Amino acid sequence: MKRQEMDLKRELECYQIPLPDQKRKEQCQKQLQELKVPYQMTDRQFILGQLRFIKPRTWLGQLLVLVVFMVMLWSKYVDYMQLSLLSVMTPLFLVFHIEELARVCNKSMLEIELATKHSLKKLILSRLCILGITDFVMMCGWILFLNSCLKESLFGILLYSLVPFNITVMGMLYLLKYSGKGTYAYQALSYTIFVCVCFIVIPQYKPLIYSSSYQDIWLLAYVVSLFLLVKSIKELFKNIAHRQDLWMTEG
């Protein structure tokens, strides 16, 4: 047995590995590249592919809120009550995003990343872009409707709609940093209701808050809320990168 092992060892030492055929190697690499190109997904295809992961009830719910508030504004209200509806509508508009945002807290998002070979940051950014674009389209329709049926300047309508919108989105993103995956939906919903109540109660005590003399304060509130919103988005993506590292370590 030892003699056979020695013979085998000598044969292996004497065996020379043949050099690879360079032409065949280049041909194989070219074929692999040709197979790979048709399956490469562009950023546009990737974003459009994420549409199927967003539930239709998200947009149906927003359309329902839009229609209900349009009907309410055809009724006869005092001026400040009409304008307070503008401020209440935009936070309610975002209630239907809570479920999508709550998925950021869910570890299963990492499984999607591993399956699609895309970063978690890119996945979430694509979802936020889709939701943001649909919000923008619906908000444009809402503002055009208000501009035609209310005796209010377009500048005022934009301020009364966008300030509560920014405050609500900022709070929702901020809660993502500190909420657990089981509590985020409840906390985000409570926060949205709180914002709505504030914009209903404030005009009751100060009706002139929606007058043109207070638009400088609204403009300041818009600038501050926009700055804090951008800051919240940056902190969110830092937090996502940190969570991703933790999940990878746990996995």
Side-chain angles (χ1 to χ4, degrees):
M1 188 68 180
K2 289 183 179 180
R3 186 177 177 181
Q4 290 178 352
E5 289 178 358
M6 293 296 292
D7 291 341
L8 182 60
K9 188 176 180 181
R10 279 196 298 271
E11 288 178 7
L12 288 172
E13 288 175 353
C14 295
Y15 179 76
Q16 293 183 352
I17 301 173
L19 294 173
D21 188 343
Q22 192 64 27
K23 288 184 179 179
R24 291 187 65 185
K25 184 179 178 182
E26 290 175 359
Q27 186 180 3
C28 182
Q29 288 176 344
K30 187 178 179 181
Q31 288 176 348
L32 288 172
Q33 191 65 27
E34 288 174 354
L35 288 172
K36 186 179 177 182
V37 169
Y39 296 102
Q40 284 182 339
M41 187 181 289
T42 62
D43 289 339
R44 182 182 176 185
Q45 290 172 331
F46 175 73
I47 292 173
L48 291 175
Q50 294 300 306
L51 284 169
R52 59 196 175 99
F53 292 104
I54 299 175
K55 297 179 180 178
R57 66 171 177 241
T58 300
W59 293 306
L60 290 174
Q62 288 183 319
L63 280 172
L64 180 62
V65 170
L66 195 62
V67 170
V68 168
F69 272 78
M70 283 180 173
V71 171
M72 289 175 69
L73 282 171
W74 280 111
S75 305
K76 293 181 179 179
Y77 285 88
V78 222
D79 287 343
Y80 73 84
M81 281 301 294
Q82 282 184 331
L83 296 174
S84 67
L85 284 176
L86 270 66
S87 301
V88 171
M89 184 271 183
T90 45
L92 289 178
F93 202 62
L94 294 166
V95 165
F96 300 95
H97 291 342
I98 291 175
E99 185 179 0
E100 294 299 327
L101 292 174
R103 293 184 187 180
V104 178
C105 303
N106 198 334
K107 190 174 178 179
S108 62
M109 284 295 291
L110 183 62
E111 297 169 6
I112 298 174
E113 176 193 5
L114 296 175
T116 58
K117 301 186 186 303
H118 288 282
S119 68
L120 186 63
K121 183 177 179 180
K122 185 175 180 180
L123 278 167
I124 295 169
L125 184 60
S126 65
R127 303 276 179 90
L128 292 178
C129 283
I130 292 169
L131 295 174
I133 290 169
T134 53
D135 285 349
F136 176 76
V137 171
M138 290 190 185
M139 287 283 287
C140 284
W142 168 246
I143 288 168
L144 289 173
F145 167 78
L146 294 173
N147 193 38
S148 64
C149 76
L150 292 181
K151 296 178 180 179
E152 182 64 35
S153 65
L154 181 61
F155 180 67
I157 291 171
L158 286 170
L159 288 178
Y160 306 147
S161 301
L162 293 178
V163 169
F165 182 87
N166 288 350
I167 292 172
T168 307
V169 176
M170 177 186 66
M172 286 181 170
L173 297 181
Y174 184 80
L175 286 170
L176 281 174
K177 290 177 59 180
Y178 303 104
S179 299
K181 66 179 182 180
T183 59
Y184 173 75
Y186 300 106
Q187 293 179 359
L189 183 60
S190 301
Y191 173 76
T192 306
I193 292 171
F194 172 75
V195 173
C196 291
V197 170
C198 286
F199 282 98
I200 289 172
V201 171
I202 291 173
Q204 303 290 336
Y205 294 95
K206 204 170 186 64
L208 292 178
I209 193 71
Y210 287 104
S211 64
S212 57
S213 58
Y214 280 84
Q215 283 187 354
D216 291 342
I217 297 174
W218 281 94
L219 181 60
L220 178 62
Y222 172 74
V223 173
V224 172
S225 64
L226 184 63
F227 171 77
L228 294 175
L229 176 58
V230 173
K231 187 179 177 183
S232 298
I233 293 171
K234 289 181 179 179
E235 290 178 356
L236 172 65
F237 283 112
K238 286 181 183 178
N239 187 255
I240 288 169
H242 177 66
R243 288 187 185 191
Q244 183 179 359
D245 293 339
L246 290 177
W247 291 344
M248 290 294 289
T249 304
E250 290 174 6

